[in-house]
Amino acid sequence: MDARYKSREIERRSLDVDGLKRSFLEWLVYSVGKDARAATRRDWFHTVALAVRDRVVDRWMDTTRSYYHEDAKRVYYLSLEFLIGRLLTNSLSNLGIINECRQALDRLGLSMDDVADSEPDAALGNGGLGRLAACFLDSMASQGLPGYGYGIRYEFGLFEQRFEHGWQVEYPEQWLQFGNPWEFARPEVLYPVQFYGRVEEFRDSVGERAYRWVDADRVLAMAYDTPVVGYGGDTINTLRLWSARATRDFNFGHFNDGAYMKAVEQKILSENLSRVLYPNDATETGKELRFKQEYFFTSASLQDILRRYLQHHTSFDNLPNKAAIQLNDTHPAIGIAELMRLLVDQHALRWDAAWEITRATFAYTNHTLLPEALEAWPVRMVERVLPRHMQIIYEINAKFLNRSKARGTGDNAKLSRLSLIDERGDRRVRMGNLAFLGSHKVNGVSALHTDLMKQTVFADFHEEFPDRINNKTNGITPRRWLKQANPALSELITSRIGEGWISDLEQIGALKEKADDLVFREEFRRAKRKNKKRLAAYIARQTGDEVQVDSIFDVQVKRMHEYKRQLLNVLHTVALYNEMRDNPTVSWVPVTKIFAGKAAPSYHMAKLIIKLINDVAKVVNHDPSVHDNLKVVYLPNYNVTAAEIIIPAADISEQISTAGMEASGTGNMKLALNGALTIGTLDGANVEIREHVGPDNIFIFGMTADEVNDLRASGGFNPREVIASNPSLKRALDMISTGVFSPDDRNRYHPILQALTDGGDHFLVTADFADYCRAQDAAMELYRDSEEWTRKAILNTASMGWFSSDRTVNEYAKEIWDVHPVKPVHEGEGFR
Ligand code: GPQ
C-alpha cells in the first residue's frame, strides 16, 4: 500500500488533538472543497462531522460483523418517528473525545459551540413518542444490545414554528438542504413495495389454494444508514431509514403511448411517499398517504429483516429466536398482515405455522388511550390500497372469533368489540386490535397507563389473554439529557460521585446525602444559575424579552394539546397578574412563565391557546404595575435543541394534564433529573416520579384518574357553578372574554370560554383550578427559602436514577425481546 495512503488511514482513526486537527483540514479541502479562509461555519460543521464519522466507521463494521458472526438475536424497533435532534455533540461525547475536538478546533481559531450550532436539528418526529424512540436507540447501543431502528427518511421533518402577530405559522423544515454528513446512502439496499392492484387465486404445486397480488403499482424503498454511537464507543448500532424511489419500469405503458411527461409525473408522485412527516401528535387524520407511509416503511423493514435472517437459516421456525420486532404504537401494525403475507404467499408456509411465528416475533407498545388517536382505517381504503392484506386481516379475524366462540365467549357484544373490524358506520380496521392479537406481548408506558389499558381500551382482550399486557415505564437517556445538555451540573455531580452515573444512572442516588451539605447546595445553585443565564440569553435572542435570572423559571414545554392543559397554566398566570396588581406592596417572588411547544396545523383550539398566551404576554410584560415580577415568554419552534437549553434552566416543571390522559410523559423525567420541582397531577409517570422523589419533594394537585372517571360517569359537573364560586377564576375568565388581552378583537377567545362553560369543560380546567393555584402558591412560598428549595431540587436529581432509558430498555430486553448484549470484536486500531 502507498505509504501516504497508509498514513492517512491511521490519521482517520486518531483521537488526539493533533490527529483531529490534521484530519479536519484534510476533510475541509478534499471533501467539503473549501480552504480555511473561505469556509463558513456550516462548512466546518460538515468537516468535523465527516471526520468524526471516520472514527465511528470501523467500530460500526466491527459491531455489525460481531452480530453476524454470533448470529445474535436482534431487536428491530419499528417507528414512524425518530426525534433525534443534533448528533455532533452526542457522537463526540459518547466517543469520549469532546475535549480533544474542542482543542483541535481551538487551534484552528474556531469555537466548538459555533460549529455545533450549525447542525440542523433532525426532527423526524412530533413529540414524546419519537423522542422515546431516539432515547431507546442511545440506550440499546450504550448497553451493547443488538438493536436496529427502522423508520422513514422524511425529506421534510416537523414544520418550523414561527409567530406572526402571536399566531403560529408553519414553515417547511428543510433539514437535508445542505446534505446530511451522518448518513450513508445504500443505493443497493432496495426493496419493492406494492400498492393497489388485485388478488388472484390459484392452485399451488401441491394443489392447495394460494394467492397472488397482481397488477399493483410499485415503489422502491432505498436505505439510508446512520450509525448510532453507544456510550464509550464500543457498540455502534444502525438506524436504517427508508426513502421512496420510483421504479425504473414505472408505468412503462405510458412511454409506449408516447406520454413521457405523464410517466415522469407519476415518478414524482410515487416519491412523495417519504416527503413529509405528518405533524399530528396523538391524533389520527385518516389520510391515505399516511397509511401508505406506514405500509411502505414496514414492508421494506420486514423484507430487510427476513433477508438478514435467511443469510443464516433455511427455515423460518427459528425467526422468533433471532428477531424481535417492536411496534412503536400501531403505526407499523400492518406489519402483522405483511409478515403473514411474506411467509404464506412468498415463502409458502402453512397459515398456522406462519401465525405462530408472527405472534412470537411481534410485540406492541401502546402510547395513548385517547380515542381520537386509535388508528382505525376504512375497510374500503385498505381493500383498495392493500387488497391482499385486507383478505389476510379477514382471515385472522375469522379464525380468532371462531376460536373465541368455541371457547365459550358467547356474548355477541363482546365478540363485536374483540373483532378486528369495527362494523358500526363505515366499516373500519381496528389497528390496535390487530396489533394486540398479532403480538405475544403488549405494553403500556407507565404503571397507571398500563392499568388503565387493562380497564378500558383492551379490557376485553385482557380478559382473553391475561398474560399479554405488561408495563414498561418510559425512561430518558442520561447522556443527552444530563451529561450533554447540562455540563455545569454534570461536572459537579462527577466531581462528587465519579462518572459511573453516566452509564448507570442509579448511582446518582449517592447524591441524596449531599442534599444536607451546605457547600454542595451552593454549587448546585450556581450550576442552575449558569443554566438560567444561558436560557435568558437564548430568550433574548429568540423573542427579545428580558427576563430576570433570579425569578422562578416556571416551565411548560411540550406539544400544545387541550389535555396537557396549557390553558390551566395561563389562567393561573392571569390570576397571579391580578394578585400582583392588587397587592403592589407585597414583596412578590418574581416569576417567569416559560412556554414552548407546537400545535398541529389543523388543531384550531390549540393554536388559539398559543395566541392567548402570546396576547397575555404582551399585556403582562409591559405593565409597569407588576414591577417586572411577572414575565410570560412563549419560545418559538420548540425542538430537541431548544429543550437542551430550556430544561437544565427550569426551577418548576409543569406536568398538569387531566388525570388519566397523559400516557406517561418523558419531559417530566428530564426536568426532574435536571433539578426542577414538579407541579403535577397524578397522571402518567408523575405517579412513579412521586414515589421515587418522595411526596414532600413534589407538588401534587388536582383530581385523580379515578375521580375523573367517576365524575364523567356520573354525567360531568357544572363548570359555571365552579367559576361563579371562585372569584379569581371568574375575574381571569371575564378579562379574557371581554377582550382585555385582545382589544383588537374582543370576541377572539369566545371559543375557549365556550368550551369551558357550555362545552362542559371536558379537560376539567375549571375543576382543578383552585387546587392548582394552591400548589403554585406553595411552590412560590418554598422558593423564598432558597436552602430548602435547593435541598428538594437535589433530592429530585438524586432520585431519578430509575428513570434512565437504560433501565427501560433492559426490561424490554429481558421480559419481551429476550435479547442479550454482544461484545463487539474490534479489528481496527488506534482507538483507546
Ligand atoms: N405520544 Cl399515541 C406521542 O408523543 N405521540 C403519539 O402519537 C402518541 C403518544 C406520547 C404520549 O402522549 C406520552 O404520554 C408518552 O410519554 C410518549 O408518547 C412516549 O410513550
Short mmCIF file of all heavy atoms in Angstrom, two decimals, residues 81 127-130 132 280-283 329 331 367-368 373 445 474 563-564 662-666, ligand 1:
data_model
loop_
_atom_site.label_atom_id
_atom_site.label_comp_id
_atom_site.label_asym_id
_atom_site.label_seq_id
_atom_site.Cartn_x
_atom_site.Cartn_y
_atom_site.Cartn_z
N GLU A 81 -41.51 7.50 13.74
CA GLU A 81 -40.86 8.73 14.18
C GLU A 81 -39.56 8.43 14.94
O GLU A 81 -39.53 7.53 15.79
CB GLU A 81 -41.79 9.52 15.13
CG GLU A 81 -43.15 9.84 14.52
CD GLU A 81 -43.97 10.82 15.35
OE1 GLU A 81 -43.45 11.34 16.36
OE2 GLU A 81 -45.13 11.05 14.98
N GLY A 127 -43.13 14.42 18.94
CA GLY A 127 -43.02 14.71 20.37
C GLY A 127 -42.51 13.49 21.12
O GLY A 127 -41.56 12.84 20.68
N GLY A 128 -43.20 13.17 22.20
CA GLY A 128 -42.72 12.14 23.12
C GLY A 128 -42.46 10.78 22.49
O GLY A 128 -41.46 10.13 22.79
N LEU A 129 -43.37 10.35 21.63
CA LEU A 129 -43.23 9.02 21.03
C LEU A 129 -41.96 8.93 20.19
O LEU A 129 -41.22 7.95 20.26
CB LEU A 129 -44.48 8.72 20.21
CG LEU A 129 -44.53 7.49 19.34
CD1 LEU A 129 -45.92 6.89 19.36
CD2 LEU A 129 -44.15 7.83 17.91
N GLY A 130 -41.69 9.97 19.41
CA GLY A 130 -40.50 9.97 18.56
C GLY A 130 -39.23 10.14 19.36
O GLY A 130 -38.19 9.55 19.06
N LEU A 132 -38.83 9.19 22.48
CA LEU A 132 -38.60 7.93 23.19
C LEU A 132 -37.82 6.96 22.31
O LEU A 132 -36.88 6.30 22.76
CB LEU A 132 -39.94 7.30 23.60
CG LEU A 132 -39.82 6.04 24.45
CD1 LEU A 132 -39.42 6.40 25.88
CD2 LEU A 132 -41.12 5.24 24.45
N ASN A 280 -49.22 15.61 13.17
CA ASN A 280 -50.19 15.43 14.26
C ASN A 280 -49.60 14.58 15.35
O ASN A 280 -49.05 13.53 15.09
CB ASN A 280 -51.45 14.78 13.72
CG ASN A 280 -52.01 15.57 12.57
OD1 ASN A 280 -52.41 16.71 12.73
ND2 ASN A 280 -51.98 14.97 11.39
N ASP A 281 -49.76 15.04 16.57
CA ASP A 281 -49.26 14.30 17.71
C ASP A 281 -50.46 13.68 18.41
O ASP A 281 -51.36 14.38 18.83
CB ASP A 281 -48.56 15.28 18.66
CG ASP A 281 -48.08 14.60 19.91
OD1 ASP A 281 -47.02 13.96 19.88
OD2 ASP A 281 -48.77 14.73 20.94
N ALA A 282 -50.46 12.35 18.47
CA ALA A 282 -51.53 11.64 19.17
C ALA A 282 -52.94 11.96 18.63
O ALA A 282 -53.91 11.94 19.36
CB ALA A 282 -51.48 11.91 20.68
N THR A 283 -53.00 12.27 17.33
CA THR A 283 -54.32 12.31 16.68
C THR A 283 -54.16 11.64 15.34
O THR A 283 -53.10 11.67 14.73
CB THR A 283 -54.85 13.73 16.45
OG1 THR A 283 -53.79 14.53 15.94
CG2 THR A 283 -55.44 14.34 17.69
N ASP A 329 -46.25 1.93 18.84
CA ASP A 329 -47.66 2.23 18.62
C ASP A 329 -48.17 1.42 17.41
O ASP A 329 -47.49 0.54 16.91
CB ASP A 329 -47.91 3.73 18.45
CG ASP A 329 -49.25 4.12 19.09
OD1 ASP A 329 -50.28 4.02 18.41
OD2 ASP A 329 -49.27 4.45 20.27
N HIS A 331 -48.68 2.38 14.41
CA HIS A 331 -48.29 2.88 13.09
C HIS A 331 -47.69 1.80 12.20
O HIS A 331 -47.98 1.78 11.00
CB HIS A 331 -47.36 4.10 13.21
CG HIS A 331 -47.83 5.11 14.23
ND1 HIS A 331 -46.98 5.87 14.99
CD2 HIS A 331 -49.09 5.44 14.63
CE1 HIS A 331 -47.68 6.64 15.82
NE2 HIS A 331 -48.96 6.40 15.62
N HIS A 367 -49.25 3.83 23.27
CA HIS A 367 -48.80 5.11 23.84
C HIS A 367 -49.93 6.06 24.18
O HIS A 367 -49.66 7.20 24.55
CB HIS A 367 -47.85 5.83 22.88
CG HIS A 367 -46.54 5.15 22.68
ND1 HIS A 367 -45.43 5.42 23.44
CD2 HIS A 367 -46.17 4.18 21.80
CE1 HIS A 367 -44.41 4.67 23.03
NE2 HIS A 367 -44.83 3.91 22.04
N THR A 368 -51.16 5.64 23.99
CA THR A 368 -52.25 6.56 24.34
C THR A 368 -53.58 5.83 24.45
O THR A 368 -53.78 4.82 23.79
CB THR A 368 -52.39 7.70 23.31
OG1 THR A 368 -53.40 8.61 23.76
CG2 THR A 368 -52.79 7.19 21.94
N ALA A 373 -56.86 9.06 18.83
CA ALA A 373 -55.54 8.63 18.36
C ALA A 373 -55.51 7.15 17.98
O ALA A 373 -54.51 6.66 17.47
CB ALA A 373 -54.49 8.91 19.43
N VAL A 445 -46.87 2.40 28.93
CA VAL A 445 -45.64 3.15 29.13
C VAL A 445 -45.51 3.81 30.50
O VAL A 445 -44.57 4.56 30.75
CB VAL A 445 -45.45 4.19 27.99
CG1 VAL A 445 -45.13 3.48 26.68
CG2 VAL A 445 -46.68 5.08 27.83
N ASN A 474 -41.61 4.39 30.77
CA ASN A 474 -40.64 5.09 29.92
C ASN A 474 -39.41 5.54 30.69
O ASN A 474 -39.41 5.58 31.92
CB ASN A 474 -41.30 6.33 29.30
CG ASN A 474 -42.26 5.98 28.17
OD1 ASN A 474 -43.06 6.81 27.75
ND2 ASN A 474 -42.19 4.77 27.66
N TYR A 563 -55.56 18.43 26.43
CA TYR A 563 -55.46 17.57 27.62
C TYR A 563 -54.21 17.88 28.45
O TYR A 563 -54.15 17.59 29.64
CB TYR A 563 -55.53 16.08 27.24
CG TYR A 563 -54.22 15.44 26.79
CD1 TYR A 563 -53.28 15.01 27.72
CD2 TYR A 563 -53.93 15.25 25.45
CE1 TYR A 563 -52.09 14.43 27.33
CE2 TYR A 563 -52.76 14.66 25.04
CZ TYR A 563 -51.84 14.26 25.98
OH TYR A 563 -50.66 13.69 25.58
N LYS A 564 -53.20 18.51 27.83
CA LYS A 564 -51.99 18.88 28.58
C LYS A 564 -52.21 20.16 29.38
O LYS A 564 -51.39 20.53 30.22
CB LYS A 564 -50.80 19.01 27.63
CG LYS A 564 -50.41 17.69 26.95
CD LYS A 564 -49.23 17.88 26.01
CE LYS A 564 -48.93 16.67 25.14
NZ LYS A 564 -48.16 15.61 25.85
N GLU A 662 -52.53 11.56 30.07
CA GLU A 662 -51.14 11.52 29.59
C GLU A 662 -50.59 10.12 29.86
O GLU A 662 -50.48 9.69 31.01
CB GLU A 662 -50.29 12.55 30.34
CG GLU A 662 -48.88 12.73 29.81
CD GLU A 662 -48.84 13.44 28.47
OE1 GLU A 662 -48.96 12.74 27.43
OE2 GLU A 662 -48.72 14.68 28.45
N ALA A 663 -50.26 9.40 28.80
CA ALA A 663 -49.86 8.01 28.99
C ALA A 663 -48.68 7.90 29.95
O ALA A 663 -48.69 7.09 30.89
CB ALA A 663 -49.52 7.38 27.64
N SER A 664 -47.66 8.70 29.72
CA SER A 664 -46.52 8.66 30.62
C SER A 664 -45.96 10.07 30.82
O SER A 664 -45.89 10.59 31.92
CB SER A 664 -45.42 7.76 30.04
OG SER A 664 -44.17 8.05 30.63
N GLY A 665 -45.54 10.68 29.69
CA GLY A 665 -44.73 11.89 29.78
C GLY A 665 -43.28 11.45 29.91
O GLY A 665 -42.97 10.40 30.50
N THR A 666 -42.39 12.24 29.29
CA THR A 666 -40.95 11.99 29.44
C THR A 666 -40.25 13.30 29.73
O THR A 666 -39.18 13.32 30.36
CB THR A 666 -40.36 11.34 28.17
OG1 THR A 666 -40.88 12.01 27.03
CG2 THR A 666 -40.72 9.87 28.10
N1 GPQ B 1 -47.37 10.06 22.38
CL1 GPQ B 1 -50.08 7.93 20.59
C1 GPQ B 1 -46.88 10.83 21.35
O1 GPQ B 1 -45.93 11.59 21.55
N2 GPQ B 1 -47.42 10.73 20.12
C2 GPQ B 1 -48.41 9.85 19.84
O2 GPQ B 1 -48.87 9.76 18.69
C3 GPQ B 1 -48.87 9.06 20.91
C4 GPQ B 1 -48.37 9.17 22.16
C5 GPQ B 1 -46.71 10.16 23.69
C6 GPQ B 1 -47.62 10.23 24.91
O3 GPQ B 1 -48.56 11.26 24.73
C7 GPQ B 1 -46.75 10.49 26.12
O4 GPQ B 1 -47.52 10.48 27.29
C8 GPQ B 1 -45.66 9.42 26.22
O5 GPQ B 1 -44.74 9.75 27.22
C9 GPQ B 1 -44.91 9.28 24.90
O6 GPQ B 1 -45.82 9.07 23.83
C10 GPQ B 1 -43.93 8.13 24.91
O7 GPQ B 1 -44.53 6.97 25.36
#
